[in-house]
């Protein structure tokens, strides 16, 4: 008796046959991982989606021929609309038939696309961006070849017969993102901010998310930027196709975005967690080795100097500018500066060339000096109240 092969066995056999026919010059792609291909059911379903509007268009034209007499503007408008519907359905049918043998194979170092009789291959680092919408009408892979040519590979959810198109998008997005992590980390170590945002025609259309050594920034398209330093971040993770950033001591997420709105979300999560760990490790080490000594020095009314900054019990100095603590309403730590909200005007004090450790010690000194200033104000208020009672 001849045994029947399972769908998984047939898929593995098809993948192996695909690898055997691959040109030798493409063997650099490494180990095979998975394959996405057009299925008979997918082709049939897509052709049906194209034939249905074609039938509707034919019915509309027959109705126009029978009921819209004499032929006036309504007749021609209806015929024009029916022709557009028919041509769109025809496009879907032709696309499905042309791509009935389409295959996308995922390898260790890149992917290959077999489409319309042509085989093309791309490394993961050649993928610049993957465009996708939250409604998932499909996606487009933007690639750049070694000679500088740009290629856009489109997958349409309505016309592409490839099975599991959503899984294909996720696999291409995550694999290409992981291979950009080293490039992004070099950018962070150069004291720059890595920005992740969905674009349409070169314009930002989603929430702009920036990751740096200091923390994470979120700027809605029509809103103000928010910044959270890593000491306040609980986690950056992906949960059920949502990118979630949680803040310490808060139940509701600080940021909750669809991963389809964040190109490179896999790399974002990886570099964010790495930066958060490095920030917390540095802060923990400074808390053991240096910060206690700095706080003791500050309490003796000496000035602590960090590059262009000077922190003392009298106030905060930036270069030649001195801001007294009683003039300051609040101080906010930012990626590249301290945001000082003071009376009569606020100040943006840039860190300059300060290292991460110096910025952390500066912030610790500022917090300590502010606490001391508040304690002195409370003592003065109590002293004034006592004098009034004595009078």
């Amino acid at each position: 008796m001849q045994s029947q092969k399972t769908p998984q066995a047939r898929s593995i056999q098809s993948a192996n046959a695909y690898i055997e026919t691959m040109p030798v010059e493409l063997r650099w792609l490494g180990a095979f991982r998975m394959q996405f291909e057009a299925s008979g059911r997918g082709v049939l379903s897509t052709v049906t989606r194209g034939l249905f509007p074609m039938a509707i268009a034919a019915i509309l034209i027959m109705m126009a021929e029978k009921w819209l007499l004499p032929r006036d503007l309504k007749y021609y408008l209806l015929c024009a609309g029916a022709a557009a519907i028919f041509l769109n359905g025809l496009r879907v049918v032709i696309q499905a038939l042309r791509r009935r043998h389409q295959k996308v194979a995922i390898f260790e170092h890149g992917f290959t696309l077999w489409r319309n009789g042509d085989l093309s291959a791309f490394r993961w680092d050649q993928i610049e961006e993957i465009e996708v919408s939250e409604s998932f009408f499909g996606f487009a892979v933007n690639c750049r070849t070694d000679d500088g040519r740009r290629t856009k590979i489109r997958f349409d959810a309505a016309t592409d017969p490839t099975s599991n198109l959503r899984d294909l998008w996720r696999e291409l997005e995550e694999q290409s993102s992981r291979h950009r992590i080293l490039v992004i980390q070099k950018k962070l170590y150069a004291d720059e901010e890595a920005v992740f945002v969905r674009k349409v025609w070169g314009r930002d259309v989603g929430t702009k998310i920036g990751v740096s050594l200091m923390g994470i920034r979120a700027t809605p398209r029509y809103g103000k930027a928010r910044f959270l330093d890593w000491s306040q971040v609980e986690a950056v993770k992906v949960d059920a196709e949502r990118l979630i950033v949680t803040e310490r001591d808060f139940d509701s997420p600080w940021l909750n975005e669809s991963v389809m709105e964040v190109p490179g979300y896999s790399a974002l999560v990886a570099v964010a967690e790495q930066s958060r760990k490095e920030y917390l490790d540095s802060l923990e080490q400074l808390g053991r080795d240096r910060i206690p000594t700095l706080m003791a020095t500050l309490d003796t009314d000496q000035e602590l100097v960090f590059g262009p900054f000077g922190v003392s019990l009298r106030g905060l100095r930036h270069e030649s500018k001195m801001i007294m603590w009683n003039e300051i309403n609040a101080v906010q730590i930012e990626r590249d500066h301290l945001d000082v909200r003071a009376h009569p005007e606020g100040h943006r004090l840039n860190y300059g060339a300060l290292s991460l450790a110096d910025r952390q010690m500066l912030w610790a000194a500022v917090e300590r000096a502010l606490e001391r200033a508040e304690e002195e104000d409370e003592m003065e208020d109590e002293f004034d109240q006592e004098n009034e009672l004595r009078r």
Side-chain angles (χ1 to χ4, degrees), residues 127 171 216 350:
I127 297 180
E171 189 66 26
I216 187 167
N350 293 325

Side-chain angles (χ1 to χ4, degrees), residues 51-216:
L51 292 176
F52 180 75
M54 292 171 67
I56 295 296
I59 293 173
L60 290 175
I61 292 177
M62 288 188 295
M63 291 177 61
E65 290 288 341
K66 183 176 182 180
W67 299 105
L68 295 181
L69 294 174
R71 297 178 178 178
D72 54 8
L73 180 61
K74 293 181 180 179
Y75 171 83
Y76 292 108
L77 288 176
L78 183 59
C79 287
I85 295 174
F86 183 88
L87 292 175
N88 183 63
L90 181 62
R91 179 185 67 86
V92 173
V93 172
I94 293 175
Q95 187 89 303
L97 295 177
R98 291 188 65 195
R99 297 186 180 181
R100 65 187 184 276
H101 299 306
Q102 177 175 274
K103 296 181 179 67
V104 181
I106 307 298
F107 292 86
E108 180 183 3
H109 302 303
F111 75 100
T112 62
L113 172 65
W114 175 261
R115 174 183 285 180
N116 302 330
D118 294 326
L119 177 66
S120 54
F122 299 91
R123 300 190 308 272
W124 295 126
D125 61 349
Q126 291 178 321
I127 297 180
E128 293 185 330
E129 187 181 22
I130 298 180
E131 302 173 6
V132 64
S133 64
E134 189 171 1
S135 302
F136 198 77
F137 297 117
F139 62 95
V141 184
N142 296 315
C143 303
R144 181 194 286 270
T145 59
D146 291 337
D147 58 3
R149 291 183 296 107
R150 280 192 168 90
T151 302
K152 177 172 283 191
I153 305 171
R154 299 182 183 275
F155 295 89
D156 193 331
T159 63
D160 204 305
T162 300
S163 302
N164 302 322
L165 204 59
R166 200 183 190 98
D167 293 338
L168 172 59
W169 157 75
R170 186 183 295 108
E171 189 66 26
L172 292 175
E173 175 69 54
E174 293 182 356
Q175 291 294 341
S176 61
S177 292
R178 291 192 186 100
H179 284 74
R180 291 197 295 268
I181 290 177
L182 291 178
V183 176
I184 296 173
Q185 286 180 334
K186 289 180 180 179
K187 188 173 185 179
L188 266 57
Y189 292 143
D191 198 23
E192 298 179 20
E193 186 177 54
V195 177
F196 302 82
V197 61
R198 190 168 77 89
K199 296 184 178 182
V200 175
W201 300 108
R203 300 185 63 181
D204 299 345
V205 296
T207 299
K208 184 186 296 184
I209 303 174
V211 177
S212 65
L213 293 178
M214 294 294 293
I216 187 167

Side-chain angles (χ1 to χ4, degrees), residues 370-384:
L370 282 172
E371 290 176 0
R372 288 290 304 271
E374 290 177 359
E375 292 174 358
E376 291 180 1
D377 289 342
E378 291 176 359
M379 292 177 61
E380 289 180 2
D381 291 341
E382 291 177 0
F383 181 76
D384 291 342

Side-chain angles (χ1 to χ4, degrees), residues 10-28:
R10 289 196 297 269
S11 177
I12 294 175
Q13 184 181 21
S14 176
N16 290 335
Y18 179 66
I19 296 171
E20 291 174 359
T21 59
M22 181 181 294
V24 176
E25 57 268 21
L26 298 182
R27 298 293 172 86
W28 52 264

Side-chain angles (χ1 to χ4, degrees), residues 1-15:
M1 182 181 296
Q2 186 175 2
S3 62
Q4 294 183 347
K5 294 182 179 180
T6 64
Q8 182 179 7
R10 289 196 297 269
S11 177
I12 294 175
Q13 184 181 21
S14 176

Side-chain angles (χ1 to χ4, degrees), residues 3 14 31 56 70 95 98 164 246 256 291 303 336 343 357 366:
S3 62
S14 176
I56 295 296
Q95 187 89 303
R98 291 188 65 195
N164 302 322
T246 54
N256 188 346
I291 290 180
E303 184 182 63
D336 56 356
H343 180 78
V366 168

